[in-house]
Amino acid sequence: MYSLFLKIATRYLLKNKLYSFINIFGLAIGVASFILIMLYVNYENSYDKFEGSENVHRVYMDYLEGDTFIAGDAQTYNLSGPTLKREFPEILEYVRLFYLEKATFVLGDKIFEQPTGSMADASYFEIFNYPLLDGNKKTALVGPDKIVLSESLAKKLFGNENPMQKTLSVFWDGQEAVLTVTGVMEDIPQNTHFRNNYLISYETEKTWGVFGENQIALNFNMNNYYTYIKVDKNTDIELLREKVVNNNADGDEEERHNIEALEDIHLYSDKPYEVTANGSVTRIKFLSAIAFIILILSWLNYINLSTTKSLERAKETGIRKVVGAHRSQLIVQSLIESILLNGIAIIIAIIFTLILLPIYNTITEKALVLSLVNLSEIAPILGFILLGMLLAGLYPALLLSGYSPSKALKGEVKTSTNGVAIRKGLIITQFLATIILLIGTFIVTKQINFLKDQPIGADLNQIIALKGEVVTDKSDSLLINDFKVLSSELKELPFVEKMSIAQTYPGDSFDNLSSTRGIVLPNGITNENKIFYTYHVQPDYFDLVDISFVAGQTFLPSTNGSSRQVVVNETFIKEMNLASAEEITGKTLEFWGNNEWTITGVIKDYHHFGLKDKVLPILIRHQKQVNNLLVKLDASAVSETGFTSAINQIQVKWNGIFPKSTFNYTFLDKKFEQQYKEDKTFGKAFQIFTILAILIAAMGLFGLTSYTCIQRKKEIGIRKVNGATIGQILSLLNKDFIKWVGIAFIMAVPISWFAMGKWLEGFAYKTTISWWIFVLAGIIALTIAMITVSWQSLNAAIANPVDALKDE
C-alpha cells in the first residue's frame, strides 16, 4: 500500500511541475538559510567550551561611578588571584595571564612576529583543559625562561625537528628573553576569546628586563593581568560572586573585584581592555530570529500552495472515498507526498548550503563546516526542520481528506469559504515578517553608513603607522637616534608629507591606552571615580591627524623630546566640572603620583574608538618613547607612484636603518573602519536573508492568488459575459491583497520600531529611525504583492469565460 502511495505521490509531483518546483525551491531556500544562520549561531555559542569550562570564571574590576559600580576593566592586579584563592576555599586554583599582543621570535636567521601569546602561571593547564602534545602539564611553566609553543608555531620555528629543550629568543618592547621550549600544545581552537599561540612562564617577569621592580612585586598597583579562577563544581556561583564583590581585597572603596563565567565572555562581555573584540548576544538574537522567520515563511508558503492544489484534487478525493478509502489512508497518502516533497527540498537545501558555505564563510570571516563530523551539532537543527515540515504537511492532509464526497463530486468544494480565513492569516503573517525584515535592513544599513560617514574629529586619510621590533642590543637612546635618522631619510621621499611618533592612534586597540583615576587640579578639584585614559605622542602628532585645539597649543619644544606636558580633550573638561577650556590651560594637575603635569592645550573631542562608544576623557602626554612612526603621504604624489611603490620605498629605508628587525605598516583609516567589521557583516547577512524572505513570501502570495482565481473562476466568467473589463477584474482580484498588505504594514510598524530601537541602544551615537523607512518598506512590500498578484490575476482576467461556464 505504501509503495502505491509513493508511486502516486511521485506521479503527482512530476505532473504538476510548476507547483512542485515552487514548493521545493521555496522550502530549499528556507531550510538552507536556516542551516547557514544556525551554523553561525551555534559557532558563536560554542566559545570557550571544553571539559570543565563551566567551573572556570574570569575575575574583572568594577569601578564606582557616582553611587553605582560599573564593569570597568577586564584586567586585574597580579595580587588579585592569590588573594581571592586565599580568601575563598571554593576557589581551587587561579591563573594570571599577561597578554602579549605581538612578540618577535628569533631563531638563527629566522626573524618573525607572532601575534597573541601570554606569560602564564604554571596552573594554566589545570584551568584550561587544552591538550599538551609534548611536555608535562604540571612543570612546563614552572620557573623562569620557559616557553610552551602551539603545534603550528613549533613547526614554523623548528620544522620537523623535536623542539623540546631547545632555546630561542623572544623580543618584546625592545627587550630580549632567551627561553627554553618545555612543551608543545595543540593549537587552541578559534572559538575561544583568548587564543594563545605560545605561553611563557610567569616567573620570566623576574628575568626579562622589560618588567620593572614595581610590576614584578605582588601588589594592587598595576592592573595589567587577566585572572581566571577554577571553582569547585558544587559552588553556588551567585553566592561566591556576592562574597567576592563584598571583599575589599585591595582596600580601595572605589573599586571591587567581580567574576563572570568563562563561557559568557564572548557574547556578554564588552569591557575596556578585552583581549579581543568579542561577539554580541544581540546580533545572535537578531540572526536567530531571522533564521526562524525565513523557515516559518517557507512552511507557510508550502501550506498555502498545498491547500490551493487541494481544491483541484477534491473530485479525486471524493472518488477515493466513494470506492472505500478511509480518511486515515487519505491522510497517510497526503503525508507521503509531503514527506517526498520535503525530502527532496532538504537534499537540495544541503547542496545549496555546501555550495554557499565558502561564500558565507568569507562574509562572516568564520570557518564554519557542514559535515558528518559535526552532525551532532546540527542534529537538533535538522530535527526541528523535519518536525516543522511534518506539521506543515499535516494541515493540507487534514483539509484534503476532510472533503465531503458528495460536495466534492458536485464541484461545491470550490465555492466553499472553509479555510480562507486561515490562508489570509498566513499571507498577512508572511508580509508582516517581510516588512519587519525590510525595515530592519534599512535601519541597519542607515546606522552603518552613519558610523562610516560621521566625522570623527580627526583626519586619518593617507596616514600609515610604521611599527617593527628591532632585534639588537641597542639602548633606548640609540634606537631613538636611529629613528631620527630614519625620519630625516623618509622626508626626502617626494610622497612623504608629514611624520610624527605616537604610542597609539584613533582606531588602535584599547590595550595601547593606559588609564588612571584620582586626577587633582591646583584648586583641589578632583574626580576620584571617573577613569581617565592616557597615551603619549610627539608635538606634531595633532597637526598630522588634524585634531583641532579649542584652547592653548601643542607641547612646547624640549631638549630631550620628553616633558611633563599634557594635552586634554573637551570631555576631560566636562568630567572635571570646569566652566571652560581656557581656565585650565597653562595650569598644572596631578596624576600617577606627580603634581607637575602642565596642561598646554585642550583639543576638540575626537572618537578614538568610533561612534559605538562615548568619547573618553583623555590626557595625551609628551614623551619620546618610540611606538608607532606615523607617516602622512601626499595624495597627489602617491597617485603617481602608487601605494605599493611608496610602501616598498619606505621599507627599503627602514631596512637600511634597522637591518635586523621586522617591518609592519597599517593604514589608519582602514584600521579605524575595522571597528565596524562585525556590524557590516551583520548588515550584509540581514540584507541577504531579507531578500530570500521576500522571495519566499512572493511565492506564498502566488499560491494564494492561484487559490483565489480557481475559487472565483465562474464568478469572473459571469462578470466578463456581463461586460466587465480586464481592469475591473484585476481591481476585483487585487483589492483584498492590498488590504492584507496594509494590515501587515500596520502591525509591522510598532514591532520593528521597538526591535530596531533595542538594537540601536548598543551604540552611543546612532542614526534616527526616520518615517520614510517605514513608508519605503510598505511601498516595496505592496509593489511585490501587486506584481505577484497581477501576474496570476491577469491570466484569470483574459481567460475565455466560455471555459469557466461551459459545464453549467
Side-chain angles (χ1 to χ4, degrees):
M1 180 178 69
Y2 293 109
S3 61
L4 176 63
F5 287 164
L6 184 60
K7 286 180 182 179
I8 294 172
T10 304
R11 288 171 182 170
Y12 182 77
L13 294 179
L14 291 174
K15 180 182 177 182
N16 297 272
K17 293 181 177 62
L18 180 61
Y19 159 79
S20 301
F21 171 77
I22 293 175
N23 243 332
I24 291 171
F25 188 67
L27 285 168
I29 291 175
V31 172
S33 300
F34 185 80
I35 292 175
L36 285 170
I37 294 175
M38 294 312 294
L39 281 175
Y40 177 81
V41 170
N42 284 354
Y43 182 84
E44 289 290 288
N45 282 318
S46 70
Y47 267 67
D48 295 305
K49 291 183 179 177
F50 49 82
E51 185 180 351
S53 61
E54 67 277 7
N55 298 320
V56 179
H57 293 71
R58 183 174 73 175
V59 184
Y60 66 93
M61 301 303 300
D62 286 338
Y63 295 129
L64 186 66
E65 284 203 0
D67 298 325
T68 307
F69 278 99
I70 64 167
D73 200 332
Q75 294 179 324
T76 58
Y77 304 98
N78 61 8
L79 193 51
S80 298
T83 302
L84 293 179
K85 183 185 178 184
R86 184 185 69 243
E87 295 287 330
F88 305 110
E90 303 98 316
I91 298 176
L92 304 178
E93 194 53 87
Y94 69 89
V95 63
R96 294 162 295 187
L97 298 175
F98 185 89
Y99 178 54
L100 304 173
E101 183 180 9
K102 190 181 292 183
T104 300
F105 282 70
V106 180
L107 181 65
D109 295 331
K110 293 181 181 178
I111 302 175
F112 61 86
E113 288 184 339
Q114 182 66 42
T116 316
S118 299
M119 287 200 307
D121 283 305
S123 55
Y124 178 88
F125 292 105
E126 293 183 36
I127 292 180
F128 295 98
N129 193 19
Y130 298 129
L132 197 62
L133 303 176
D134 203 349
N136 187 312
K137 282 187 175 184
K138 294 184 178 180
T139 61
L141 293 172
V142 174
D145 305 326
K146 295 183 178 181
I147 186 170
V148 173
L149 305 174
S150 66
E151 185 178 12
S152 58
L153 180 55
K155 185 169 287 291
K156 186 176 180 180
L157 284 164
F158 297 98
N160 294 323
E161 294 182 38
N162 185 351
M164 294 295 289
Q165 301 306 315
K166 293 184 177 175
T167 59
L168 52 84
S169 292
V170 177
F171 283 81
W172 183 72
D173 203 18
Q175 299 291 324
E176 180 184 19
V178 179
L179 307 175
T180 300
V181 179
T182 54
V184 177
M185 60 183 175
E186 271 190 10
D187 289 348
I188 293 177
Q190 292 295 308
N191 54 340
T192 177
H193 80 286
F194 206 144
R195 294 185 286 273
N196 286 299
N197 292 306
Y198 55 91
L199 298 167
I200 299 172
S201 58
Y202 181 82
E203 293 294 314
T204 305
E205 265 193 345
K206 298 175 181 178
T207 58
W208 205 346
V210 72
F211 297 99
E213 289 296 326
N214 190 39
Q215 186 159 355
I216 295 172
L218 289 176
N219 56 53
F220 287 109
N221 294 329
M222 301 178 69
N223 54 330
N224 297 328
Y225 300 83
Y226 296 97
T227 302
Y228 298 84
I229 57 173
K230 184 176 183 178
V231 302
D232 185 88
K233 63 181 180 180
N234 298 316
T235 299
D236 183 334
I237 293 300
E238 290 306 316
L239 178 59
L240 176 61
R241 179 179 290 108
E242 184 179 345
K243 291 194 289 186
V244 168
V245 298
N246 290 328
N247 179 269
N248 189 12
D250 60 0
D252 190 337
E253 298 293 338
E254 293 170 353
E255 66 179 25
R256 69 185 188 188
H257 290 83
N258 206 335
I259 59 174
E260 60 188 335
L262 174 70
E263 295 177 356
D264 290 344
I265 291 174
H266 178 66
L267 290 180
Y268 295 92
S269 182
D270 187 23
K271 302 175 181 64
Y273 300 103
E274 292 283 358
V275 184
T276 54
N278 286 325
S280 166
V281 69
T282 303
R283 284 197 293 267
I284 293 303
K285 288 179 179 178
F286 268 89
L287 287 174
S288 299
I290 293 172
F292 281 96
I293 287 172
I294 290 178
L295 187 59
I296 291 170
L297 284 179
S298 68
W299 289 340
L300 298 181
N301 176 44
Y302 170 75
I303 292 171
N304 264 333
L305 288 170
S306 298
T307 51
T308 299
K309 295 302 290 184
S310 70
L311 293 172
E312 298 179 1
R313 305 181 69 181
K315 285 186 178 180
E316 175 193 338
T317 303
I319 293 172
R320 288 179 180 277
K321 284 192 172 183
V322 168
V323 298
H326 297 291
R327 187 179 187 189
S328 60
Q329 292 175 314
L330 295 172
I331 291 174
V332 170
Q333 180 186 335
S334 182
L335 285 177
I336 287 176
E337 290 179 8
S338 174
I339 292 170
L340 177 62
L341 188 145
N342 283 284
I344 296 171
I346 287 179
I347 293 171
I348 294 174
I350 291 174
I351 294 172
F352 280 173
T353 303
L354 293 172
I355 293 172
L356 296 174
L357 199 53
I359 302 171
Y360 189 63
N361 282 337
T362 301
I363 294 172
T364 61
E365 296 188 7
K366 304 293 183 185
L368 307 176
V369 178
L370 180 66
S371 65
L372 293 176
V373 176
N374 65 350
L375 187 61
S376 60
E377 298 176 9
I378 65 169
I381 298 174
L382 295 177
F384 176 77
I385 292 171
L386 292 172
L387 177 62
M389 286 181 167
L390 179 64
L391 295 176
L394 192 59
Y395 172 70
L398 293 173
L399 180 66
L400 183 63
S401 64
Y403 290 145
S404 166
S406 59
K407 289 184 178 181
L409 294 173
K410 291 178 182 179
E412 294 178 2
V413 170
K414 293 183 180 180
T415 59
S416 172
T417 58
N418 182 38
V420 172
I422 294 176
R423 287 187 285 278
K424 287 179 181 178
L426 295 179
I427 218 65
I428 289 172
T429 303
Q430 285 184 307
F431 271 89
L432 169 65
T434 301
I435 294 170
I436 289 174
L437 289 177
L438 277 170
I439 292 170
T441 297
F442 293 146
I443 292 176
V444 168
T445 304
K446 189 168 184 271
Q447 174 64 13
I448 292 171
N449 290 335
F450 173 83
L451 295 174
K452 184 176 66 176
D453 298 337
Q454 280 292 107
I456 65 167
D459 181 9
L460 307 182
N461 293 319
Q462 313 292 334
I463 300 177
I464 57 174
L466 305 180
K467 191 172 185 179
E469 190 76 58
V470 180
V471 289
T472 67
D473 296 327
K474 290 185 177 181
S475 66
D476 287 346
S477 59
L478 291 175
L479 282 174
I480 291 170
N481 288 333
D482 283 345
F483 267 93
K484 288 180 180 178
V485 175
L486 175 64
S487 299
S488 63
E489 291 198 12
L490 291 180
K491 286 178 182 177
E492 296 175 0
L493 298 175
F495 47 79
V496 173
E497 184 178 332
K498 299 175 183 176
M499 281 186 295
S500 187
I501 289 173
Q503 177 184 357
T504 185
Y505 46 81
D508 198 13
S509 67
F510 218 116
D511 197 54
N512 291 324
L513 284 175
S514 301
S515 61
T516 184
R517 288 189 301 145
I519 301 288
V520 181
L521 299 180
N523 56 8
I525 294 177
T526 184
N527 188 329
E528 295 289 339
N529 296 335
K530 189 68 181 180
I531 301 173
F532 293 84
Y533 295 91
T534 176
Y535 64 96
H536 61 257
V537 302
Q538 285 295 287
D540 43 13
Y541 165 80
F542 305 100
D543 177 56
L544 180 80
V545 296
D546 197 23
I547 294 177
S548 303
F549 281 82
V550 296
Q553 60 184 353
T554 187
F555 311 125
L556 299 174
S558 64
T559 55
N560 65 353
S562 293
S563 65
R564 295 289 184 182
Q565 299 178 70
V566 295
V567 166
V568 300
N569 65 348
E570 292 174 300
T571 297
F572 175 92
I573 303 297
K574 296 171 188 173
E575 294 293 345
M576 296 302 294
N577 295 316
L578 298 172
S580 67
E582 287 76 9
E583 71 174 284
I584 194 65
T585 304
K587 302 292 195 305
T588 60
L589 54 80
E590 178 182 344
F591 71 95
W592 281 357
N594 190 293
N595 59 3
E596 296 178 357
W597 298 94
T598 301
I599 298 175
T600 63
V602 179
I603 56 172
K604 283 186 178 181
D605 280 340
Y606 74 93
H607 295 278
H608 198 88
F609 293 111
L611 283 82
K612 294 182 69 173
D613 302 300
K614 293 181 179 179
V615 174
L616 303 172
I618 286 180
L619 302 92
I620 303 175
R621 313 185 313 277
H622 181 207
Q623 190 170 320
K624 65 183 179 182
Q625 183 178 342
V626 177
N627 292 85
N628 295 282
L629 180 61
L630 304 183
V631 180
K632 187 173 182 65
L633 306 177
D634 182 87
S636 58
V638 170
S639 64
E640 296 178 7
T641 61
F643 279 113
T644 303
S645 175
I647 297 298
N648 288 340
Q649 292 182 60
I650 290 173
Q651 186 171 3
V652 168
K653 297 287 188 183
W654 176 284
N655 292 337
I657 304 298
F658 305 114
K660 292 192 65 176
S661 68
T662 57
F663 174 81
N664 296 292
Y665 67 92
T666 302
F667 283 94
L668 267 59
D669 55 347
K670 301 299 181 186
K671 183 73 174 287
F672 194 87
E673 288 181 9
Q674 283 293 305
Q675 298 173 106
Y676 307 132
K677 181 179 70 175
E678 291 292 334
D679 298 297
K680 288 179 179 179
T681 299
F682 176 65
K684 287 179 183 177
F686 216 124
Q687 292 168 3
I688 292 169
F689 292 116
T690 296
I691 293 171
L692 294 177
I694 291 171
L695 180 60
I696 293 171
M699 289 179 176
L701 190 57
F702 177 88
L704 191 56
T705 308
S706 300
Y707 167 79
T708 303
C709 291
I710 293 170
Q711 187 185 45
R712 304 180 74 171
K713 184 178 180 180
K714 289 183 179 178
E715 176 192 348
I716 294 168
I718 294 171
R719 287 180 181 274
K720 290 191 72 176
V721 167
N722 286 300
T725 64
I726 291 177
Q728 289 173 326
I729 299 297
L730 286 175
S731 176
L732 173 72
L733 294 173
N734 290 0
K735 65 181 181 181
D736 284 340
F737 293 101
I738 295 173
K739 179 175 65 177
W740 298 339
V741 173
I743 293 171
F745 175 76
I746 292 171
M747 296 170 64
V749 168
I751 295 173
S752 53
W753 183 290
F754 174 79
M756 298 314 298
K758 284 290 184 183
W759 179 72
L760 287 172
E761 286 178 2
F763 299 87
Y765 301 89
K766 43 188 172 282
T767 187
T768 55
I769 303 180
S770 307
W771 62 269
W772 61 262
I773 290 176
F774 300 94
V775 174
L776 180 60
I779 291 173
I780 291 175
L782 183 60
T783 302
I784 293 168
M786 291 302 298
I787 292 173
T788 306
V789 171
S790 297
W791 179 24
Q792 281 290 93
S793 300
L794 184 61
N795 290 331
I798 64 177
N800 189 341
V802 175
D803 294 333
L805 302 174
K806 63 183 178 181
D807 59 341
E808 290 298 319

